[in-house]
């Protein structure tokens, strides 16, 4: 039960939000009191969780590639399944990303959500438990529980507080994701039966036959590709994003999309090395199609949120290219791109949320000339827009650049086509920016629109700092996953070399 | 020895008869509360006696007291107790409160307990008939209601047919093997060349008769109508205890006597299971009445539970037993919520009547949401673990077709479960429901907590199921 921190820190940050949830549930009084208490309890709980998660940031040993802060309690003894928690270089920053974004989301929903505030805050805290638990679990069954458990709060967040077509979007989100997940469940059970354990370490040491790996990879693909989302199973994402409330979109883009890519990196690549190598060209093809096709689709959008949703698909395409290059630069780049996308796309959805709260429209044509009335807003928007495009000095650049270097080692055309995303990204983002921010104000109600409020500044400030920090000094983030990724690449190469040798022996 | 083994059944039967005499003597007064209390006391006492009963074989092999029968009997008693608590307030509100109701439930429960510990095809039939006769009357208990009488008659006709098939199967098995003792049959079938075609036909008839009782496709036709027509507390009872009893019989007969010839019946169970899962998933989509929806849902769940039997090993039986425990509690809870659907003294049962429940009655909506997510098999809820153990057994046994169809139909099923949640949480509020009786709140809270927090400490139930399952497929 003990670990480097001396107490079960991961369990604490996983389950603390649920305690906040129970506190909110017990609040009594009239609607206004309940709403206000729920907001404050949720904010303080999530800030406390964030504060605790900083222990991971400071005490994480970056030289150690394995799991740290490990906890283990026997849970299903007859199946050798334990409640095992731990973080390694790959997952530690995603735990932090989740704990950073949750208070930001709660703050951004302060005024935007005014019906059933108590339930909203409870859903968000449950969501935080699921997200953190998913990244912190080192047991497959536990991982799966959190992975699918995310569906429940997210379904409610989209369906209750969403836009006009929320029911369609929520049900589509739920069923798409569930279909993928249940196939992964079968893969999980197969690996469980074969390996006799569901511990990550034990599974990684088990060798699965090449034929089994193919099926397992496809089952994982069904689940993770939907979550990433990869083309052509991305169609739930624009619907979910458009209908979800701002805070829901932020967490969806910021953390939930990372669950798929994290899954590929955690399971497919290290546990199924031969199948991953075999399917890499397939993954590259889908990713390149995603990058180019969804960028073009984004260009044609008239709804701001939909545009950013499609840009997310394109950016996540870059991530999957990076992960399946199987070299250090590529995987590092993919991971960095996941983090930067988590911050930047989350921020972009907040940016849209700011004007949506004022005008209640997301139509691009509805806006124009906002620079006159909202100079600070225009500045913030520009920063995140540039980061999304991948301007050097912002978070977006580092990841894309590393992925291009990594993919050059695989194939020139892959690098070229994957890199197209940066060019097309610049086109649609700049076009969006110019239509919303520049030009003349033609609409009456835009003439007295207000600039960012102090609360909104508080929401954006941490994201601005992170975006610049990640862009200017990326090493303070990459050092966390260098060791783990290095070991992963080494093991992957070794596993493949073994197969080649076996094949050679047979000849 | 014999009499101490059947003590729980004897005690419950005596309590039932005493209650009946008591009710007749106090004619003209309101005896329902007292009779229900007697019934609950009887269930509790029988449960304690079951837990303290030693293992053994009674009445020269006719009666088996082992961990398997104890596990199922406790589950049957819990289901019966939950149903009687729910029935008390409902029957009063509907004006059908009579002391015979708990008495019939007790007799039927005695029958089920005999079923769970039957060691002979004859004891099996005895228990089955005692159970069924009481159930026919219960289904038609609201005798002034056309739908209830229709449900009772329908159940009577179709169930008698199934009993006939079972009896015919039993006679064939006896004719071709010369014994009706389950363990003796097993020893006989272990001999090479002991299986004659006539015996296989007999096994198929026995299987069909029992499949009818668990309402597995294609012997499910009575279920939606009986569920919808019977008074709702009776539906709760139908959906829980008799299912457990019939499933335990199925497991016992197949897992003991016919275990040596698993190849002869396995494919049949696989087909029945697939058909049940598919029908349960697809037929429920179009339902607007929540009781009918639950009927199709229970058909689907029986399909999942049968996967465990289809594997033909003890791990599969363990999966089925865990599935039945979780199924009983989440189903009883769901019906508790359905019983709370009452406006201006009249029960309502359309799904659309739940519209906006989350704003009128957040606690009830939360409970029903927990049950729906659990029935859909979403993690953290108990229903997920039920499916996990079942699919584990299926994959271990190499039954990939069953496993893949199972997970995919669970996605289809999820559609209609989350539609109920959609109606409660996303739609605008309708009129609030009437005040809930305390008994109902108790049942919903207890089963809801079990369903939501099963994941924290699953070991005792899984351990007990393991012990129970180890008796079969030795």
């Amino acid at each position: 039960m003990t670990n480097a921190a001396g107490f079960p820190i991961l369990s604490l940050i996983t389950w603390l939000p649920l305690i906040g949830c129970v506190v909110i549930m017990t609040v009594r009084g009239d609607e206004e009191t309940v709403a206000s208490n729920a907001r404050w309890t949720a904010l303080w709980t999530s800030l406390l969780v964030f504060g605790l998660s900083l222990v991971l940031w400071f005490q994480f040993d970056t030289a150690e590639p394995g799991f740290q802060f490990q906890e283990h309690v026997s849970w299903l003894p007859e199946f050798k399944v334990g409640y095992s928690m731990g973080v390694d270089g790959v997952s530690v920053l995603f735990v932090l990303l989740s704990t950073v974004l949750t208070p930001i989301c709660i703050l951004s929903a302060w005024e935007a959500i005014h019906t059933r505030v108590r339930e909203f805050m409870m859903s968000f805290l449950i969501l935080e438990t699921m997200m953190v638990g998913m990244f912190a679990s080192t047991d497959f069954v536990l991982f799966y529980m959190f992975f699918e458990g995310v569906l429940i709060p997210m379904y409610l967040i989209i369906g209750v507080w969403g836009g006009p077509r929320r029911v369609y979007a929520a049900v589509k989100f739920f069923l798409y994701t569930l279909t993928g997940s249940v196939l992964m469940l079968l893969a999980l059970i197969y690996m469980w039966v074969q390996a006799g354990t569901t511990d990550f370490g034990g599974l990684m040491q088990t060798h699965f036959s090449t034929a089994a790996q193919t099926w397992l990879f496809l089952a994982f693909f069904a689940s993770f590709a939907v979550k990433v989302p990869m083309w052509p199973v991305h169609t739930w994402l624009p619907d979910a994003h458009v209908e979800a409330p701002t805070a829901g979109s932020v967490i969806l883009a910021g953390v939930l999309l990372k669950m798929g890519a994290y899954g590929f990196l955690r399971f497919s690549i290290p546990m199924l090395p031969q199948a991953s190598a075999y399917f890499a060209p397939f993954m590259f093809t889908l990713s390149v199609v995603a990058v180019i096709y969804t960028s073009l689709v984004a260009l044609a959008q008239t709804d701001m949120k939909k545009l950013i949703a499609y840009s997310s698909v394109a950016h996540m395409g870059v991530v999957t290219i990076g992960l399946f290059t199987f070299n250090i630069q590529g995987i590092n780049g993919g991971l960095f791109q996941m983090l930067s996308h988590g911050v930047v796309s989350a921020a972009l959805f907040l940016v849209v949320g700011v004007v949506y709260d004022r005008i209640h429209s997301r139509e691009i044509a509805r806006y124009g000339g906002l620079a006159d009335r909202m100079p600070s807003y225009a500045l913030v928007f520009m920063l995140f827009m540039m980061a999304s495009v991948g301007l050097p000095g912002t978070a977006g650049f580092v990841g894309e650049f590393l992925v291009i270097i990594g993919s050059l080692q695989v194939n020139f055309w892959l690098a070229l086509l994957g890199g197209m995303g940066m060019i097309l990204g610049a086109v649609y983002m700049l076009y969006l920016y110019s239509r919303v921010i520049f030009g003349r104000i033609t609409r009456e109600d835009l003439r007295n629109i207000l600039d960012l409020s102090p609360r909104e500044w508080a929401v954006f400030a941490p994201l601005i700092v992170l975006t610049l920090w990640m862009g200017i000094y990326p090493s303070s983030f990459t050092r966390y996953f260098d060791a783990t990724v290095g070991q992963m690449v080494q093991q992957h190469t070794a596993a493949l070399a073994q197969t080649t040798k076996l094949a050679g022996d047979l000849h | 020895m014999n009499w101490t083994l059947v003590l729980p059944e004897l005690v419950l039967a005596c309590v039932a008869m005493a209650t009946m005499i008591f009710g007749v003597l106090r004619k003209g007064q309101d005896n329902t509360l007292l009779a229900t209390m007697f019934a609950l006391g009887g269930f509790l006492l029988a449960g304690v006696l079951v837990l303290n009963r030693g293992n053994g074989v009674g009445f020269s092999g006719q009666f088996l007291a082992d961990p398997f029968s104890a596990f199922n009997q406790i589950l049957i008693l819990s289901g019966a107790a939950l149903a009687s608590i729910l029935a008390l307030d409902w029957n009063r509100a509907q004006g059908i409160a009579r002391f015979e109701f708990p008495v019939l439930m007790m007799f039927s429960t005695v029958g089920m307990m005999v079923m769970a510990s039957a060691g002979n095809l004859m004891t099996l039939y005895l228990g089955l008939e005692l159970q069924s006769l009481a159930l026919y009357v219960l289904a038609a208990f609201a005798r002034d209601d056309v739908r209830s009488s229709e449900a009772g008659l329908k159940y009577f006709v179709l169930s008698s047919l199934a009993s006939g098939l079972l009896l015919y199967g039993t006679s064939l098995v006896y004719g071709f093997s010369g014994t009706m003792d389950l363990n003796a049959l097993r020893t006989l079938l272990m001999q090479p060349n002991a299986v004659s075609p006539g015996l296989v036909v007999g096994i198929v008839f026995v299987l069909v008769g029992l499949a009818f009782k668990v309402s597995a496709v294609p012997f499910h036709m009575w279920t939606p109508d009986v569920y919808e027509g019977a008074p709702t507390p009776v539906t709760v009872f139908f959906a829980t205890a008799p299912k457990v009893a019939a499933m335990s019989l199925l497991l016992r007969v197949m897992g003991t006597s016919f275990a040596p010839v698993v190849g002869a019946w396995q494919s049949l169970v696989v087909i029945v299971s697939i058909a049940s899962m598919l029908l349960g998933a697809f037929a429920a989509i179009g339902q607007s009445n929540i009781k009918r929806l639950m009927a199709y849902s229970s058909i689907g769940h029986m399909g999942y539970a049968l996967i465990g039997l289809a594997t033909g090993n003890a791990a599969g039986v363990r999966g089925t037993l865990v599935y039945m425990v979780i199924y009983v509690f989440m189903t009883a809870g769901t019906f508790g919520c359905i019983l709370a659907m009452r406006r201006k003294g009249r029960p309502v049962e359309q799904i659309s009547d739940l519209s906006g429940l989350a704003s009128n009655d957040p606690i009830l909506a939360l409970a029903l949401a927990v049950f729906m997510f659990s029935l859909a098999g979403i993690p953290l809820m108990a229903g997920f673990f039920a499916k996990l153990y079942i699919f584990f057994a299926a994959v271990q046994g190499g039954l990939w077709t069953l496993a893949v169809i199972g997970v995919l139909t669970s996605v289809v099923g999820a559609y209609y479960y989350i539609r109920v949640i959609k109606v409660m949480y996303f739609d605008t509020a309708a009129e609030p429901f009437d005040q809930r009786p305390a008994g109902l709140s108790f049942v919903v809270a207890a089963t809801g907590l079990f369903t939501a927090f099963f994941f924290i400490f699953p070991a005792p139930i899984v351990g007990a199921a393991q012990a129970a399952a180890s008796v079969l497929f030795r």
Side-chain angles (χ1 to χ4, degrees):
Chain A
M1 209 51 200
T2 50
N3 54 54
F7 60 100
I9 175 84
L10 286 173
S11 292
L12 200 62
I13 54 178
T14 303
W15 299 105
L16 197 62
L18 271 196
I19 296 173
C21 193
V22 172
V23 172
I24 293 178
M25 212 163 153
T26 55
V27 172
R28 289 281 172 271
D30 60 73
E31 208 179 323
E32 203 46 47
T33 333
V34 169
S36 152
N37 282 330
R39 286 187 186 111
W40 282 108
T41 317
L43 183 65
W44 279 111
T45 314
S46 58
L47 284 175
L48 184 63
V49 171
F50 172 63
L52 282 168
S53 68
L54 285 179
V55 172
L56 300 179
W57 175 265
F58 289 114
Q59 298 204 350
F60 187 83
D61 178 6
T62 52
E64 161 66 45
F67 287 105
Q68 301 178 33
F69 303 101
Q70 281 189 304
E71 297 162 26
H72 186 88
V73 182
S74 172
W75 181 40
L76 307 174
E78 65 278 15
F79 291 109
K80 298 195 187 66
V81 174
Y83 169 84
S84 312
M85 301 286 252
V87 283
D88 66 356
V90 170
S91 53
V92 63
L93 290 181
F94 291 107
V95 171
L96 284 160
L97 183 69
S98 314
T99 58
V100 170
L101 284 180
T102 307
I104 290 176
C105 285
I106 288 170
L107 202 56
S108 80
W110 209 256
E111 283 152 14
I113 301 294
H114 39 76
T115 52
R116 291 150 86 178
V117 180
R118 181 216 299 253
E119 284 86 350
F120 183 84
M121 295 301 167
M122 281 168 63
S123 306
F124 241 89
L125 291 178
I126 295 176
L127 188 58
E128 185 174 21
T129 292
M130 298 296 165
M131 294 186 306
V132 175
M134 197 214 68
F135 287 120
S137 49
T138 58
D139 185 280
F140 205 164
V141 175
L142 197 63
F143 167 87
Y144 186 82
M145 280 178 49
F146 287 122
F147 185 83
E148 250 194 67
V150 166
L151 289 181
I152 298 178
M154 204 59 212
Y155 172 69
L156 293 177
I157 288 171
I158 297 176
V160 178
W161 295 276
R165 288 174 71 238
R166 58 183 199 272
V167 174
Y168 171 76
V171 172
K172 190 172 179 181
F173 161 77
F174 195 96
L175 293 182
Y176 252 77
T177 327
L178 186 64
T179 314
S181 305
V182 293
L183 292 173
M184 177 171 80
L185 178 65
L186 290 184
L188 182 168
I189 294 174
Y190 178 79
M191 291 169 84
W192 185 0
V193 171
Q194 291 291 311
T197 173
T198 51
D199 189 67
F200 286 175
L203 286 177
M204 267 189 266
Q205 278 157 16
T206 313
H207 178 79
F208 300 98
S209 73
T210 318
Q213 281 195 23
T214 311
W215 288 104
L216 291 174
F217 187 92
L218 288 173
F220 282 139
F221 176 79
S223 173
F224 298 141
V226 170
K227 265 276 180 336
V228 168
M230 294 180 76
W231 183 85
V233 286
H234 66 282
T235 59
W236 62 271
L237 184 76
D239 287 313
H241 266 313
V242 168
E243 300 306 326
T246 304
S249 295
V250 170
I251 214 76
L252 190 58
V255 184
L256 264 54
L257 298 193
K258 310 299 168 295
M259 288 163 52
Y262 173 76
F264 278 126
L265 193 57
R266 176 64 79 209
F267 302 105
S268 305
I269 295 174
M271 293 177 196
L272 315 170
Q274 279 84 15
S276 298
Y278 177 74
F279 280 105
F282 170 69
M283 299 296 288
F284 290 145
T285 314
L286 292 188
S287 308
V288 165
V289 171
V291 168
I292 294 174
Y293 168 74
T294 51
S295 296
L296 291 174
V297 173
L299 194 57
Q301 295 306 314
T302 55
D303 180 305
M304 285 196 261
K305 264 185 152 180
K306 224 171 189 163
L307 191 150
I308 300 169
Y310 278 110
S311 86
S312 291
V313 182
H315 283 138
M316 291 310 288
V318 176
V319 172
T320 39
I321 292 178
L323 298 185
F324 279 85
T325 58
F326 310 123
N327 54 45
I328 293 185
Q329 291 88 344
I331 295 181
N332 265 352
L335 272 170
F336 201 89
Q337 172 82 351
M338 279 155 80
L339 291 172
S340 78
H341 178 262
V343 172
V344 173
S345 71
L348 281 171
F349 279 111
L350 287 168
V351 162
V352 176
V354 167
V355 285
Y356 182 76
D357 287 347
R358 289 165 172 68
I359 306 293
H360 296 287
S361 169
R362 291 180 309 257
E363 285 293 306
I364 300 174
R366 183 74 183 69
Y367 296 95
L370 289 181
D372 285 349
R373 286 290 307 165
M374 308 173 77
S376 341
Y377 177 72
L379 184 71
V380 171
F381 195 167
M382 188 181 72
L383 174 76
F384 292 124
M385 185 264 296
M386 287 304 181
S388 172
V389 171
L391 186 78
T394 60
F397 173 73
V398 186
E400 302 220 2
F401 183 71
L402 282 171
V403 170
I404 291 176
I405 294 180
S407 51
L408 262 180
Q409 300 174 24
V410 177
N411 185 316
F412 169 76
W413 291 101
L414 177 66
L416 182 75
L417 292 171
M420 287 288 285
M422 284 177 97
I423 301 167
L424 289 168
V427 176
Y428 61 74
M429 286 314 286
L430 288 172
Y431 186 45
L432 167 74
Y433 189 74
S434 73
R435 282 182 289 172
V436 173
I437 300 293
F438 298 142
R440 291 187 174 284
I441 294 187
T442 48
R443 305 267 179 175
E444 235 7 83
D445 50 359
L446 293 181
R447 285 190 201 288
N448 35 27
I449 193 168
L450 295 173
D451 208 348
L452 297 182
S453 68
R455 180 182 61 82
E456 284 160 346
W457 269 115
V459 168
F460 284 118
L463 295 174
I464 295 172
V465 171
L466 275 174
T467 308
L468 292 175
W469 185 4
M470 288 170 82
I472 293 167
Y473 196 67
S475 325
S476 39
F477 298 88
T478 51
R479 70 192 176 95
Y480 282 91
F481 44 78
D482 273 339
T484 312
V485 169
Q487 194 197 37
M488 197 181 271
V489 169
Q490 202 186 350
Q491 282 170 352
H492 186 84
T493 322
L496 287 188
Q498 211 171 11
T499 336
T500 325
K501 188 171 154 290
L502 273 177
D505 290 346
L506 282 175
H507 276 291
Chain B
M1 182 65 184
N2 287 345
W3 298 104
T4 50
L5 284 181
V6 291
L7 197 59
E9 285 85 351
L10 276 183
V11 166
L12 192 57
C14 291
V15 173
M17 282 183 275
T19 315
M20 189 156 67
I21 294 166
F22 175 80
V24 173
L25 290 180
R26 274 174 42 114
K27 210 166 184 175
Q29 297 168 52
D30 182 13
N31 297 324
T32 23
L33 181 64
L34 269 175
T36 306
M37 287 304 150
F38 282 154
L40 286 176
F43 294 144
L44 190 68
L45 191 59
V48 172
L49 289 172
V50 168
L51 287 177
N52 291 315
R53 179 182 63 187
N55 294 339
V57 180
F59 302 101
S60 43
Q62 306 242 16
F63 188 92
L64 306 173
D66 52 23
F68 181 81
S69 55
F71 185 92
N72 283 298
Q73 285 172 340
I74 294 292
L75 193 54
I76 289 164
L77 289 167
S78 322
L82 290 174
S84 8
I85 300 174
L86 290 174
L88 180 61
D89 297 299
W90 170 276
N91 288 354
R92 285 192 166 160
Q94 292 298 100
I96 53 168
R98 281 191 294 272
F99 74 91
E100 289 94 337
F101 193 93
V103 172
L104 284 166
M105 281 184 94
M106 277 188 275
F107 279 131
S108 153
T109 309
V110 172
M112 293 180 215
M113 290 175 73
V114 173
M115 283 161 80
S117 47
N120 186 298
L121 290 172
M122 225 48 233
T123 337
L124 179 160
Y125 189 72
L126 200 72
L128 192 71
E129 281 307 284
L130 179 55
Q131 174 225 226
S132 302
L133 283 171
L135 287 182
Y136 303 146
V137 185
L138 280 174
F141 203 75
R143 59 186 174 196
D144 298 330
D145 181 2
V146 177
R147 286 197 310 167
S148 174
S149 320
E150 186 195 319
L153 192 63
K154 211 171 238 172
Y155 186 53
F156 172 64
V157 172
L158 288 171
S159 192
S160 311
L161 180 71
S163 298
L165 291 176
L166 181 68
L167 206 53
Y168 186 55
T170 311
S171 65
L172 279 176
V173 170
Y174 178 63
F176 281 93
S177 66
T179 176
M180 284 199 283
D181 187 86
L182 296 185
N183 280 316
L185 265 172
R186 177 188 146 82
T187 328
L188 196 77
L189 290 178
M190 293 222 279
Q191 317 288 329
N193 305 326
V195 190
S196 56
L199 189 68
V200 174
V201 175
I203 295 175
V204 171
F205 272 109
V206 171
L207 188 64
V208 166
L210 292 175
F212 182 93
K213 303 287 176 184
V214 294
S215 71
V217 178
F219 314 104
H220 64 283
M221 273 79 90
W222 57 278
T223 321
D225 293 337
V226 172
Y227 270 42
E228 191 189 359
T232 316
V234 179
T235 313
V236 186
F237 193 50
F238 273 153
T240 54
K243 290 259 163 54
V244 178
M247 189 58 87
S248 77
L249 267 192
L250 204 49
L251 292 175
R252 169 86 81 187
V253 174
M254 296 297 154
T256 312
S257 314
F258 303 139
V261 288
V262 70
W265 50 267
Q266 191 179 27
S267 52
L268 202 60
V269 176
V270 169
I271 292 167
V272 166
S273 164
I274 290 178
S276 305
M277 290 189 292
L278 285 175
L279 186 100
F282 286 98
I285 292 176
Q287 303 303 324
S288 58
N289 180 302
I290 192 153
K291 280 166 78 179
R292 279 189 93 82
L293 180 111
M294 285 305 291
Y296 285 107
S297 147
S298 84
I299 294 173
H301 282 290
M302 285 307 119
Y304 292 110
L306 282 174
I307 293 179
L309 177 62
T311 59
N313 57 41
V317 173
R318 175 185 60 193
T320 303
L321 291 177
V322 175
Y323 203 100
M324 293 312 287
V325 175
I326 293 169
Y327 166 80
V328 162
F329 283 97
M330 65 191 180
T331 307
T334 313
F335 276 106
C337 297
I338 295 174
L339 286 165
M341 293 167 63
R342 187 180 271 280
R343 286 208 179 95
K344 300 200 182 74
R346 293 185 62 80
V348 289
E349 14 186 270
Q350 296 301 309
I351 295 174
S352 54
D353 290 318
L354 286 166
S355 139
L357 186 66
S359 33
N360 289 334
D361 191 344
I363 303 290
L364 187 67
L366 181 69
L368 191 49
V370 165
F371 294 127
M372 286 296 140
F373 279 126
S374 178
L375 288 167
I378 306 296
L380 292 188
M381 306 301 169
F384 166 71
F385 290 91
K387 292 210 166 80
L388 183 70
Y389 290 115
I390 281 289
F391 289 133
F392 185 86
V395 170
Q396 207 173 23
L399 297 171
W400 283 102
T401 326
L402 266 184
V404 171
I405 293 179
V407 294
L408 291 180
T409 50
S410 81
V411 176
V412 179
Y415 169 72
Y416 58 79
Y417 295 123
I418 64 168
R419 202 185 51 171
V420 174
I421 296 168
K422 173 233 147 199
V423 171
M424 289 193 300
Y425 278 84
F426 306 171
D427 290 0
T428 44
E431 265 180 272
F433 292 137
D434 297 352
Q435 180 75 31
R436 291 192 294 275
L440 192 153
S441 302
F442 167 75
V443 171
V444 170
T447 51
L449 290 175
F450 174 86
T451 310
F453 296 108
F454 175 81
F455 75 96
I456 295 178
F457 203 40
I461 289 176
V462 180
Q466 169 86 53
S470 62
V471 175
L472 306 182
F473 289 109
R474 273 165 299 163

